[in-house]
Amino acid sequence: MGDRGATHIEPRVVAKIAAQAAVEALRGEASGRWVPSRRSVPDTKVSLRRVPSRKKGGKSARSAAVHGEARVKISLDLGYPADVGAQCGAVRRRVVERVGELAGMEVPEVAIAVERLHSAQTGRPEGGRVR
């Protein structure tokens, strides 16, 4: 009997999953401090592509759980000093893992834009220049 119906996941849903995964990764990253910006979660953009299934003897060559590919771009602010590379790597790994688990999508690309670096001194109430 043939498959009936289809699952369609909206890009905004995948973007929310990816943003939450980024927050989880940065909160768990011991080597640096994540500084949330004015927005409560990182700005995340997603483009989705449906992956055609290749039939082999009536069965799909891809796993039935794969609903396509998601390319993710995340903009975030980080604490300084910190290992920016390690933080970005942790975000990439967590986004790939969580989007795969929750949306059933492959994530071949996670682009990260670090918008700002914040030091503890720049958050002082008296403001002013840090030398």
Side-chain angles (χ1 to χ4, degrees):
M1 185 179 290
D3 292 336
R4 294 168 34 150
T7 301
H8 176 75
I9 301 171
E10 290 290 324
R12 67 175 185 227
V13 172
V14 179
K16 285 182 180 184
I17 293 169
Q20 182 60 40
V23 170
E24 291 169 5
L26 292 170
R27 285 188 179 147
E29 182 66 26
S31 66
R33 297 178 323 263
W34 173 56
V35 178
S37 64
R38 289 180 285 282
R39 43 187 197 263
S40 59
V41 294
D43 185 34
T44 307
K45 294 180 179 30
V46 172
S47 67
L48 302 180
R49 184 173 80 95
R50 188 178 173 140
V51 178
S53 61
R54 294 179 181 88
K55 301 278 183 175
K56 248 190 208 179
K59 302 257 182 188
S60 174
R62 286 190 172 267
S63 166
V66 176
H67 297 293
E69 288 183 351
R71 295 187 186 279
V72 179
K73 181 178 181 187
I74 300 175
S75 300
L76 43 86
D77 298 351
L78 296 176
Y80 179 81
D83 186 346
V84 175
Q87 289 182 319
C88 291
V91 168
R92 280 187 188 95
R93 286 186 298 277
R94 187 68 174 165
V95 167
V96 168
E97 175 187 339
R98 296 299 282 167
V99 170
E101 288 173 355
L102 299 175
M105 294 185 161
E106 295 175 350
V107 185
E109 178 182 339
V110 178
I112 299 174
V114 178
E115 300 257 326
R116 291 175 199 85
L117 295 174
H118 298 277
S119 69
Q121 289 81 19
T122 59
R124 297 180 306 181
E126 67 272 2
R129 187 172 166 178
V130 177
R131 296 177 191 220

